[in-house]
Amino acid sequence: MIYTLTLNPSIDYVVEFPSLCVGGITRIQKEDFVFGGKGVNVSHMLKILGTSSVALGFVAGFTGKAFVQGVKGYGIQPMFIEVDDGFTRINVKIHAEEESEINGLGPVVSKLYLDKMMKLLDEIKENDILVLSGSIAKGMKDNIYADIMKHVEDKRIKVVVDACGNALHHTLKYHPFLIKPNKEELEEYFHVNLSSINEMLVCAKMLQKEGARNILVSLAENGALLLCENGEVLRCNAVKGKVVNSVGAGDSMVAGFLHVYEQKKDMKKALQMGVACGSATAFSKGIASKKSVEEILERMDANL
């Protein structure tokens, strides 16, 4: 089973209109509610591909209740802990002459609820996969992902970490099965400017020396680079297309990779599916449909 953990999920209120009237009234032409957060996005893409997962995390308030119902509507099995301080955040995504975002804070998660989450994680069995991704909720230290990995260390599960900065750094000593940095996150982590794929590969090798087993580097329109724990380096180019929305593309890449890896244990095919899912979501308004992923895969095969 695959478990995804989203510490600070969100309801995205997406609105579209031609222009924002500052100081006046703006009438919305189109609106939508999207239930997400990085781990939930992974679960959503997995469900679309036909792989089951359990979505873990924290919710609060009336928005938390709406969030859980929304996740159920995606066909995802939710296992969220309700906390009593604050409410699940609402992020406003404005699509006008320019794109703007107003992101909420989210609830405060105390040690009491963190302990409850640890007890839920005790249900994970050997050979399961746990995906830790996204921002950390208020009240948590930046080593929370490392604490979780330490807690499940004896279970012999595969842990995927999609985080940045100190939150990622603290996990490396526990040897995550897969991490997924992008160019900007590599630059932030190593305090450098990267101008080539070879330079990113050097950074990936340094992360491997720090403890990560496999490093999947998202290269946006250039596909992805995978440094395997056996030292093999794999590349997969992306197909061309119009980027509509980059939110969830990296999460879709993780989902596509895990979907194939779980079935075939084939790194090359897993990488290809990851790039296909990431591209398909980037070319869609939300998490991509299975049909969109299949169309991208066909175009990728034609380019081989």
Side-chain angles (χ1 to χ4, degrees):
M1 177 60 74
I2 299 175
Y3 294 82
T4 65
L5 176 62
T6 308
L7 296 176
N8 197 16
S10 65
I11 301 174
D12 288 352
Y13 179 46
V14 185
V15 295
E16 296 182 18
F17 41 79
S19 61
L20 177 63
C21 180
V22 179
I25 297 175
T26 299
R27 301 202 180 276
I28 294 170
Q29 292 186 338
K30 188 176 180 180
E31 62 184 353
D32 193 15
F33 290 95
V34 179
F35 305 92
K38 291 181 69 63
V40 173
N41 293 339
V42 173
S43 283
H44 193 179
M45 186 78 255
L46 284 170
K47 176 62 179 179
I48 289 168
L49 295 174
T51 294
S52 298
S53 68
V54 176
L56 304 166
F58 300 96
V59 294
F62 73 99
T63 51
K65 291 179 173 61
F67 179 85
V68 172
Q69 290 304 311
V71 168
K72 287 181 179 178
Y74 290 153
I76 300 169
Q77 181 181 344
M79 197 177 290
F80 289 89
I81 293 173
E82 187 171 354
V83 306
D84 59 5
D85 188 352
F87 52 87
T88 296
R89 60 188 175 139
I90 298 177
N91 300 331
V92 181
K93 312 290 186 179
I94 299 171
H95 296 175
E97 67 271 32
E98 294 181 347
E99 290 194 2
S100 303
E101 298 184 10
I102 304 172
N103 290 342
L105 295 173
V108 175
V109 180
S110 66
K111 185 178 183 302
L112 170 66
Y113 296 108
L114 285 173
D115 290 343
K116 288 184 178 181
M117 178 58 68
M118 294 299 188
K119 289 181 180 179
L120 282 182
L121 294 173
D122 287 337
E123 298 181 14
I124 296 178
K125 298 178 177 61
E126 185 174 347
N127 296 321
D128 284 343
I129 293 176
L130 174 62
V131 180
L132 306 174
S133 59
S135 61
I136 294 171
K138 288 186 295 181
M140 297 181 185
K141 296 179 180 179
D142 61 8
N143 63 349
I144 178 61
Y145 286 147
D147 287 346
I148 290 170
M149 291 187 69
K150 181 179 180 181
H151 184 79
V152 300
E153 190 174 16
D154 295 334
K155 288 182 169 291
R156 297 181 181 178
I157 65 173
K158 294 181 177 68
V159 179
V160 178
V161 179
D162 187 3
C164 58
N166 285 334
L168 170 64
H169 173 70
H170 292 308
T171 68
L172 297 181
K173 63 183 178 181
Y174 296 107
H175 308 292
F177 169 72
L178 180 75
I179 63 173
K180 193 208 67 63
N182 57 31
K183 175 179 178 290
E184 291 73 22
E185 288 166 346
L186 288 175
E187 289 178 331
E188 177 189 353
Y189 190 93
F190 290 105
H191 307 289
V192 295
N193 292 319
L194 301 174
S195 57
S196 71
I197 291 174
N198 283 338
E199 290 176 348
M200 290 183 236
L201 178 59
V202 170
C203 291
K205 289 180 178 179
M206 292 171 68
L207 287 169
Q208 199 170 57
K209 287 181 179 179
E210 289 188 38
R213 292 169 56 188
N214 300 283
I215 297 91
L216 175 60
V217 181
S218 173
L219 304 174
E221 69 274 8
N222 293 315
L225 168 75
L226 178 64
L227 175 61
C228 303
E229 61 182 318
N230 63 3
E232 185 178 12
V233 178
L234 302 174
R235 273 292 313 277
C236 182
N237 294 320
V239 300
K240 303 299 181 184
K242 181 182 178 182
V243 176
V244 176
N245 174 33
S246 61
V247 175
D251 308 321
S252 295
M253 178 179 286
V254 170
F257 182 94
L258 294 177
H259 170 72
V260 169
Y261 182 81
E262 270 287 83
Q263 295 178 356
K264 302 180 179 180
K265 301 297 186 288
D266 186 314
M267 286 291 194
K268 187 173 182 179
K269 291 181 179 179
L271 174 61
Q272 184 183 32
M273 177 60 88
V275 172
C277 290
S279 297
T281 288
F283 302 158
S284 306
K285 285 192 174 181
I287 301 298
S289 66
K290 188 173 183 179
K291 180 180 178 182
S292 297
V293 173
E294 290 170 345
E295 290 173 350
I296 296 290
L297 277 173
E298 288 177 2
R299 291 170 60 190
M300 292 173 70
D301 289 337
N303 291 334
L304 293 177

